[in-house]
């Protein structure tokens, strides 16, 4: 990599309003894809990419996320006694070592940009990673690992991108594209949630970023953008004249698990891939619902 990026920020303080009523008390980031919460997939993707410092931006009602990554001594002892080796491995695998996981609080959910600003004291002069745990990418190699390779070449600000249907642009940050070699995309502007008629392209940012600390200069101003929220995209857009910007077309299938349909699709896709479940799921879809 150009400059090592060993720190990742995971914003988990959002209200999850698209997923009510479950998110009334349950953090969206703890929703399971088969048997693991979204936040654990995000942490594992980061670990695979060499991340060593995990910063969670949490908020009200999110404390079970902290518990999930803690040691579970009694459960471990009981599984050990019962010789439940696989279960013990799963429980231990979800523990994060002392001094690797840090928490900071976003007192009010004022937007993704504001959540990242809340973690500013953890980021020094180095580039840093942002992973939105509700964006899940099913791929052979983790989306962030793929990005790290490209980051070696391009540096600056790098975001993962994919095409969305034209009528969906109002849900995403959209690139005003200047160059595109099928893998790395150049852009002259970023527009947050443009209406389809105003969108300069259909290439949208997904929840994976490698960012230059310069972005904090703009997050500092707490400028409110689309939807009355402080937007990360707006701050990145403002650095474009000084910090090189690129989009990266990753290999894999992305699921917006912050939406009910994306969450359901992810559960089916991940279950079908599992050796212990795939056959049964296929059978149910075929026999019971005449699908597949
Ligand atoms: P989303 O916009 O998908 O989350 O943000 P949300 O606001 O919780 O969702 P809806 O629209 O109300 O359903 C992406 C990530 O950023 C976090 C969320 O927790 C999610 O993981 N986030 C969002 C924050 O940490 N703080 C915020 O103010 C907003």
């Amino acid at each position: 990599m150009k400059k090592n990026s060993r720190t990742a920020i995971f914003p988990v303080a959002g209200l999850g309003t698209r997923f009510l009523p479950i998110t009334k008390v349950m953090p969206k980031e703890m929703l399971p894809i088969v048997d693991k919460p979204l936040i654990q997939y995000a942490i594992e993707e980061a670990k695979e990419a060499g991340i060593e410092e995990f910063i969670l931006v949490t908020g009200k009602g999110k404390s079970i996320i902290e518990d999930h990554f803690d040691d579970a001594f009694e459960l471990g002892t009981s599984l050990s006694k019962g010789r439940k080796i696989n279960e013990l491995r799963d429980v231990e695998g979800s523990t994060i070592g002392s001094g690797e996981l840090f928490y900071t609080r976003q007192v009010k959910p004022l937007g993704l940009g504001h959540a990242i600003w809340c973690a500013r004291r953890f980021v020094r002069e180095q580039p840093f990673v942002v992973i939105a745990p509700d964006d899940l990418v099913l791929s052979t190699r983790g989306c962030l690992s793929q990005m790290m390779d490209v980051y070696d070449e391009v540096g600056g600000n790098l975001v993962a991108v994919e095409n969305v249907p034209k009528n969906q642009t109002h849900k995403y940050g959209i690139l005003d594209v200047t160059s595109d070699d099928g893998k790395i995309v150049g852009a002259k502007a970023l527009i947050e949630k443009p209406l389809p008629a105003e969108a300069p392209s259909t290439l949208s940012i997904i929840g994976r970023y490698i960012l230059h600390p310069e972005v904090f200069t703009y997050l500092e101003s707490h400028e409110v953008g689309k939807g009355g929220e402080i937007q990360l995209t707006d701050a990145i857009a403002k650095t474009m004249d000084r910090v090189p910007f690129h989009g990266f077309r990753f290999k894999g299938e992305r699921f917006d698990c912050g939406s009910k349909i994306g969450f359901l699709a992810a559960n089916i896709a991940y279950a079908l891939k599992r050796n212990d479940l795939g056959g049964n799921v296929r059978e149910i879809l075929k026999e019971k619902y005449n699908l597949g």
Side-chain angles (χ1 to χ4, degrees):
M1 292 193 62
K2 274 202 155 51
K3 268 191 191 168
N4 277 350
S5 160
R6 294 279 170 255
T7 302
I9 303 174
F10 302 82
V12 297
L15 296 177
T17 55
R18 285 171 296 151
F19 225 124
L20 284 166
I22 182 66
T23 44
K24 187 178 168 191
V25 290
M26 167 73 107
K28 169 172 69 175
E29 300 77 13
M30 284 302 290
L31 292 176
I33 303 301
V34 184
D35 53 9
K36 258 194 315 198
L38 282 166
I39 184 65
Q40 192 177 337
Y41 285 95
I43 298 268
E44 286 172 1
E45 185 181 324
K47 273 190 183 167
E48 183 204 333
I51 296 298
E52 292 165 352
E53 276 185 338
F54 307 88
I55 321 294
L56 264 59
V57 182
T58 73
K60 196 168 158 36
K62 303 278 181 167
S63 51
I64 65 163
I65 298 178
E66 301 186 29
D67 294 341
H68 181 73
F69 292 110
D70 223 339
D71 184 39
F73 177 74
E74 285 178 4
L75 178 59
T77 309
S78 159
L79 291 172
S80 236
K81 273 191 190 150
R83 297 193 186 286
K84 298 196 166 177
I85 306 303
N86 292 338
E87 291 80 356
L88 182 63
R89 190 202 51 219
D90 285 345
V91 167
E92 288 179 350
S94 63
T95 305
I96 297 186
S98 300
E100 293 174 14
L101 187 56
F102 304 86
Y103 300 94
T104 185
R105 197 101 171 169
Q106 185 186 27
V107 177
K108 282 186 188 156
L110 299 177
L112 177 60
H114 183 261
I116 302 311
W117 176 79
C118 292
R120 66 200 177 282
R121 296 193 203 285
F122 292 95
V123 176
R124 292 159 292 268
E125 300 305 307
Q126 301 291 325
F128 63 98
V129 164
V130 173
I131 297 187
D134 51 351
D135 259 344
L136 189 61
V137 180
L138 180 58
S139 54
T140 316
R141 184 144 180 261
C143 181
L144 186 63
S145 285
Q146 298 176 41
M147 286 176 80
M148 292 284 197
D149 288 351
V150 171
Y151 191 76
D152 269 341
E153 293 166 37
V154 297
N157 287 326
L158 183 68
V159 302
V161 295
E162 72 170 9
N163 279 105
V164 294
K166 179 84 180 160
N167 64 2
Q168 303 281 303
T169 56
H170 61 288
K171 297 181 180 168
Y172 301 97
I174 300 288
L175 276 65
D176 192 347
V177 176
T178 51
S179 64
D180 187 350
D181 69 3
K183 184 177 168 191
I184 299 174
V185 183
K188 62 174 188 291
L190 301 176
I191 325 286
E192 184 62 29
K193 300 188 174 66
L195 292 172
E198 288 151 20
S201 78
T202 56
L203 205 55
S204 93
I205 301 177
I206 73 149
R208 301 288 181 279
Y209 311 72
I210 304 178
L211 298 177
H212 190 280
E214 177 81 12
V215 77
F216 285 109
T217 316
Y218 296 95
L219 289 175
E220 202 77 50
S221 67
H222 293 190
E223 203 176 300
V224 175
K226 274 271 165 70
E229 295 195 343
I230 299 168
Q231 301 286 357
L232 181 58
T233 314
D234 292 344
I236 300 171
K238 289 200 171 116
T239 68
M240 284 174 100
D241 55 348
R242 258 151 311 125
V243 181
F245 173 89
H246 293 95
F248 167 63
R249 289 182 193 270
F250 57 96
K251 287 203 171 81
E253 191 178 357
R254 172 244 180 193
F255 299 91
D256 174 8
C257 296
S259 76
K260 291 174 189 176
I261 193 67
F263 167 82
L264 292 169
N267 264 297
I268 295 168
Y270 276 72
L272 283 171
K273 289 246 167 216
R274 289 260 299 244
N275 291 335
D276 58 339
L277 295 170
N280 284 347
V281 175
R282 221 164 266 121
E283 207 175 287
I284 292 169
L285 293 176
K286 210 169 162 187
E287 306 288 314
K288 272 196 121 170
Y289 299 102
N290 217 6
L291 299 168

